[in-house]
Amino acid sequence: MERHNIRNCAEAGCDRKPIVRGLCRKHYDNYYRKGLIATKQLAEHKQCRELTETQAAYIAGIVDGEGHVGLCRAKDNHMVSSYSYRPRVVVENTNKDVIDYLYTTTGLGRVHLRVAAAHKNWRDQYIWCVWCVSQTASLLKQIAHFLIIKQEQAKLLLEFAERGGKSYGNAGMPRDLRSYQEAAYEQCK
């Protein structure tokens, strides 16, 4: 198998040095302007659009088959030995139309492009991410009962949003809530 030369931009015919995601600055900026990389994020308080039963079932099928429903753990900048947790729904696909459908139908999240620069037979991957507690909860409330494989994770995330999804800032989170979040994270793995 022949590997793509990672010393050159992933765009066909371009011999510039890759700077970001396997692309040179010119091609990365071009993709970004076209909305193929990190399209603008919607406001945190935005809720999922009202979905028809058919739309909710279709989106649940995509999430069940191609997606991830879980908690993300990140190092908390305010506390030296602490983590923050937030729910996320992620779908990755090489078909941009599927990702565009999720983004436009729900009105939530962000869309990213992962450029396939490592291998010539790989295709670019489009990623739809919903990270905000209120956004994931509003989406999962509408699709959870259609989920089959990821229904337990969806229920756990909805409970997380109700019980432990809010931010405490510098005031510090109560210990029992911190323990709940850590246990929920372990269950979602």
Side-chain angles (χ1 to χ4, degrees), residues 59 61-69 88-100 102 110-115 123-131 150:
I59 290 171
I62 294 170
V63 170
D64 246 353
E66 301 288 333
H68 167 75
V69 176
R88 66 178 175 180
V89 176
V90 180
V91 175
E92 300 182 15
N93 203 295
T94 57
N95 186 333
K96 188 173 185 313
D97 294 337
V98 171
I99 300 303
D100 286 343
L102 294 170
R110 297 176 70 172
V111 176
H112 302 276
L113 171 67
R114 183 181 296 147
V115 177
R123 292 189 283 168
D124 293 345
Q125 195 171 42
Y126 301 93
I127 305 160
W128 175 65
C129 303
V130 181
W131 291 81
K150 296 178 173 75

Side-chain angles (χ1 to χ4, degrees), residues 129-149:
C129 303
V130 181
W131 291 81
C132 175
V133 174
S134 63
Q135 289 183 10
T136 53
S138 70
L139 172 66
L140 291 173
K141 283 177 187 173
Q142 294 188 61
I143 69 168
H145 61 284
F146 292 110
L147 293 170
I148 297 170
I149 299 168

